[in-house]
Amino acid sequence: TKVATINGQDIYCESKRDVYKDKWAKAVKGAIDFSKDLVAKSDTYVSLVTFASSASKATEFSRNAFAEKDFGYPNGGTDLAGGIKEAKRKLDAVDDELDAQKFILVISDGEPTYYYGNKGKVSKAIKYAKKEATIAKNAETSIYAIGYGISDTSNAASVLKYVSSNTTVVASNPTGDEIGTYDNTKGFYYNADTSSIASALNSVFDSMVPKFAGTEATLVDTLGGNFVFTDSYDNHVDGNTYTYEIGDIT
């Protein structure tokens, strides 16, 4: 499983410094705890992309949880298009032979104001964010989105809902102008504030991580005398008892 988390860096306002510092700190702590839970699962790798006036590759894919220093400092605009594009680029670099499930988690508290490092009309920034999200979803990447500290009926929330995999867009060559079909029962969009960001991230984690029919399963079988163990299985054999550690059963 590969998870690219992209975290907006515009969660700040000089005139309300203490309030916004607390908002930023809780978002960062929630993302760090989320990454710790993910890497505790076998074969799960995480990477962080931050975006403000442009997108930045904060960490490479690894089995290391995020650290506070990885998030930088909150300032600038919201280049959601650039953030999604960078996350997809990193996911595309994963060897196809690994057959990895691919996810993007977006956390943002505002509508797009930049696109690919350029400041322009908000309508254009929104269009490109939608375009990049559809391109990523068409490449079989599931996108979760959390609207952080915004009204659920705001324009920012509307964009994030479109970006999430709750919205299906049929377009082989998307432009960002497509309408799309929204289904809120899919569970890819969450609205959260400082008191519920941890809970929202827990919900994303529970949705990403498959529910197992069994965990740490072990097969033990006693074989009859007519069977001959091959050399490759010697480390599983004790007399005529064969033991194999299966692990998680889906």
Side-chain angles (χ1 to χ4, degrees), residues 105-164:
L105 166 61
V106 178
I107 305 173
S108 183
D109 74 336
E111 63 184 6
T113 54
Y114 283 72
Y115 49 94
Y116 316 123
N118 300 304
K119 184 173 177 58
K121 291 183 178 180
V122 169
S123 60
K124 201 167 186 179
I126 290 172
K127 173 180 176 177
Y128 285 125
K130 290 180 175 181
K131 174 184 175 180
E132 294 299 338
T134 301
I135 291 172
K137 288 184 283 188
N138 283 351
E140 299 184 351
T141 294
S142 297
I143 300 181
Y144 291 85
I146 297 177
Y148 185 43
I150 59 177
S151 167
D152 194 49
T153 58
S154 65
N155 194 42
S158 176
V159 173
L160 290 170
K161 289 175 182 179
Y162 185 104
V163 161
S164 79

Side-chain angles (χ1 to χ4, degrees), residues 36-111:
K36 288 179 180 177
D37 290 340
L38 282 172
V39 298
K41 296 294 182 180
S42 61
D43 298 324
T44 300
Y45 296 76
V46 296
S47 173
L48 177 66
V49 174
T50 58
F51 63 97
S53 300
S54 61
S56 301
K57 178 180 65 179
T59 67
E60 297 289 355
F61 273 115
S62 75
R63 289 192 40 75
N64 297 319
F66 303 148
E68 186 174 349
K69 64 180 177 60
D70 297 329
F71 291 82
Y73 186 77
N75 65 85
T78 305
D79 188 354
L80 183 54
I84 295 173
K85 185 174 184 177
E86 174 62 13
K88 181 182 181 298
R89 184 194 67 77
K90 297 175 78 171
L91 287 167
D92 286 346
V94 176
D95 191 338
D96 288 340
E97 292 184 2
L98 297 177
D99 195 27
Q101 290 181 285
K102 297 179 181 181
F103 300 97
I104 293 173
L105 166 61
V106 178
I107 305 173
S108 183
D109 74 336
E111 63 184 6

Side-chain angles (χ1 to χ4, degrees), residues 228-237:
V228 176
F229 292 107
T230 63
D231 290 342
S232 61
Y233 290 96
D234 280 352
N235 60 330
H236 300 295
V237 176

